[in-house]
Amino acid sequence: MGRLTAIVLGSAAGGGYPQWNCRCAVCRLAWEGDKRVRPRTQTGVAVSADGTSWTLLNAAPELRAQIAATPALMPLQVALHHVAPIDVAPYKSEARSAPEELRGSPIAAAVLTGAEIDQTAGLLNLRERGAFGLFATAETHNSLAANPMFGVLDRELVPRRTVTPGVPFGLPGGLTAELFIVAGKVPLYLESDEPEMQAETGVNVGILLSAGGAKLAFIPGAAAPTPELMARCAGADVVLFDATLFTDDEMILSGTGIKTGRRMGHMPIDGAGGSLEVFANLATADLRARRVYIHINNTNPILVEGSPQRRRVEQAGWEVAYDGMEIVL
Amino acid sequence: MGRLTAIVLGSAAGGGYPQWNCRCAVCRLAWEGDKRVRPRTQTGVAVSADGTSWTLLNAAPELRAQIAATPALMPLQVALHHVAPIDVAPYKSEARSAPEELRGSPIAAAVLTGAEIDQTAGLLNLRERGAFGLFATAETHNSLAANPMFGVLDRELVPRRTVTPGVPFGLPGGLTAELFIVAGKVPLYLESDEPEMQAETGVNVGILLSAGGAKLAFIPGAAAPTPELMARCAGADVVLFDATLFTDDEMILSGTGIKTGRRMGHMPIDGAGGSLEVFANLATADLRARRVYIHINNTNPILVEGSPQRRRVEQAGWEVAYDGMEIVL
């Protein structure tokens, strides 16, 4: 192929859509099979510059099903003499992978934007001695390392590469990536009573990918439109951006929660300082990007085709990601 | 309903079928869509005595999709005035659940047979303030506690109940359960170089469920046919039993692995001391149970309808579990 390609594996926020225990107005449509909505798994994207080696952006709990729904990621797509895309430590009796003809995967790397469940639990599905590089900030790697369960990923086959935000690094198949700090918070399971928002650390990052002059930015969680964030978005050809909530108080008003979106690390779509507004305020010349909303919470009315909120974002030039959506740059 | 009912949510061993990175002969059929096989998610069962409150036996990584495929487990099935089946600690600002009319689930409890990924990772899907009891041995709870990620399950809403093998306990909806020790091993991610097999500890257990005189035994992993195990099976009306591998050296011979089944904590179906043999040796009077093979590895040829191995187990009176299978006692 030779063109930067992204496949949306999942497009929902944590919990997926519909959420297992939710009967809010939006979830109810999905449970009842209403045609205006489509179910969505939790957010993850696969990207490739050569159509052969694929890199996962985050690893949602549903990763196994996402792979099974995506022909490009199935093991039969790998040529028998496919060269392992990353260096694997020398042979050791227990650490070797199965023979090339029996095991293999087009998945050559994974890059994480944080250590939340919906960003990482899918890694537990990749535990059968497949070799791939796992790229994340030191903060995210530390959170993984604190959970012995991730030990199922043998470090000799799945090297944990620590990435410094702002420093570009190479990925298999000719992709270049760069992490950049985005306002956010530590994972829910590591929260103290009052987590610091907008901390300038690597707990929450965005990913900028480039190949052949094309650029894609993936920002599934952003608590605030910092200048650095907006500069990255302005320079990209496509932006996949945080659409967790439509309004900041959506979960409070719907009775499904007691936190604002910003308290959860997500700026809203609507309202003052929401993504509709801040992207509209970018000078037109600075915003050449296709803008795609992703990481959509089960309460968000943009999930419903034809809803006023959905029409509003579409009229503002945004697309709404869905599982299986393919973006070719 | 009033009858002990079990729904097989998933029937495959760790990795599921097909496995993300596998192109062994059996997986290949699934990737190619061959009609003789059907895809299977990792093993889990939902049981109920009243058709209203359901208990999960293990929590596979695919639990979210398993719930979405099982009408009995969807939140719309819960009556608005459904009474919470377990005691929840007194109101605390952060720990409360959402209003009854907006959130709810027929899932009232979960019981674990061990702390392997395929037995526990699905719990991470139940993280949105739903209340249910989590029952397991001290060993399994310790393994969960060592992973801060499971902190997403608020202990006030999801009390972790420690169960002593051999001591019956009550479950919502009129079920009685008992755990019993089964030969096995610690989870892979906690293994030392030579894990002790058949340890008489609670790291690996079976579950005996009873309601209204009917009994169901769930044993997804058994390294050896100990007398206690066989006695439990003999007394049950239905046995869901470990079918990981057909032959002990299956993974070695197929080139997909370097361990025997027993080394992985699973006695084989075929051969000396395999489940076909040891169940055949039970006196007929002792074996009134329907026998159902479950936890089937992606390499196991019983997955293929019409295969010699599949015919062999069927001729011996065994059924082969599939996702969605319903057993009513």
Side-chain angles (χ1 to χ4, degrees), chain B residues 35-95:
Chain B
K35 298 284 182 216
R36 289 170 293 176
V37 299
R38 47 170 114 192
R40 284 166 163 89
T41 59
Q42 291 162 86
T43 291
V45 175
V47 292
S48 180
D50 64 2
T52 301
S53 291
W54 290 81
T55 293
L56 303 177
L57 310 183
N58 287 346
E62 299 97 332
L63 182 57
R64 213 192 135 247
Q66 292 173 341
I67 292 171
T70 309
L73 300 184
M74 292 179 186
L76 299 191
Q77 299 297 327
V78 187
L80 289 189
H81 298 291
H82 179 58
V83 177
I86 52 164
D87 291 328
V88 170
Y91 172 85
K92 209 189 107 190
S93 63
E94 284 275 330

Side-chain angles (χ1 to χ4, degrees), chain B residues 9-245:
Chain B
L9 303 178
S11 48
Y17 174 68
Q19 184 178 295
W20 72 285
N21 65 341
C22 191
R23 43 192 173 202
C24 74
V26 185
C27 278
R28 202 175 270 274
L29 292 176
W31 293 121
E32 290 167 351
D34 192 291
K35 298 284 182 216
R36 289 170 293 176
V37 299
R38 47 170 114 192
R40 284 166 163 89
T41 59
Q42 291 162 86
T43 291
V45 175
V47 292
S48 180
D50 64 2
T52 301
S53 291
W54 290 81
T55 293
L56 303 177
L57 310 183
N58 287 346
E62 299 97 332
L63 182 57
R64 213 192 135 247
Q66 292 173 341
I67 292 171
T70 309
L73 300 184
M74 292 179 186
L76 299 191
Q77 299 297 327
V78 187
L80 289 189
H81 298 291
H82 179 58
V83 177
I86 52 164
D87 291 328
V88 170
Y91 172 85
K92 209 189 107 190
S93 63
E94 284 275 330
R96 69 179 177 191
S97 14
E100 184 70 19
E101 65 276 16
L102 280 169
R103 293 281 166 91
S105 168
I107 297 171
V111 186
L112 307 177
T113 65
E116 279 285 12
I117 303 293
D118 68 334
Q119 297 164 326
T120 61
L123 294 172
L124 300 172
N125 288 297
L126 305 181
R127 65 191 184 281
E128 286 88 7
R129 303 203 167 281
F132 63 94
L134 180 57
F135 298 83
T137 63
E139 289 86 345
T140 294
H141 277 307
N142 286 343
S143 294
L144 293 182
N147 288 278
M149 212 164 242
F150 287 103
V152 293
L153 299 176
D154 188 313
R155 285 164 186 262
E156 295 190 25
L157 292 171
V158 184
R160 301 191 185 184
R161 307 286 170 94
T162 299
V163 176
T164 304
V167 179
F169 58 100
L171 287 168
L175 276 173
T176 299
E178 187 182 335
L179 304 186
F180 55 96
I181 289 171
V182 178
K185 65 169 188 63
V186 297
L188 183 61
Y189 60 89
L190 296 177
E191 273 190 16
S192 55
D193 284 343
E194 278 304 319
E196 188 184 3
M197 230 25 89
Q198 307 188 33
E200 292 291 309
T201 75
V203 295
N204 183 56
V205 299
I207 306 172
L208 188 66
L209 289 154
S210 56
K215 288 185 181 175
L216 177 147
F218 176 64
I219 304 123
T226 59
E228 180 178 10
L229 169 61
M230 298 316 292
R232 300 288 179 158
C233 292
D237 299 290
V238 61
V239 176
L240 298 167
F241 198 80
D242 183 353
T244 309
L245 301 186

Side-chain angles (χ1 to χ4, degrees), chain A residues 23 96 100 102 254 258, chain B residues 23 96 100 102 254 258:
Chain A
R23 42 192 174 203
R96 69 179 175 192
E100 184 69 21
L102 280 169
S254 71
I258 57 172
Chain B
R23 43 192 173 202
R96 69 179 177 191
E100 184 70 19
L102 280 169
S254 70
I258 57 172

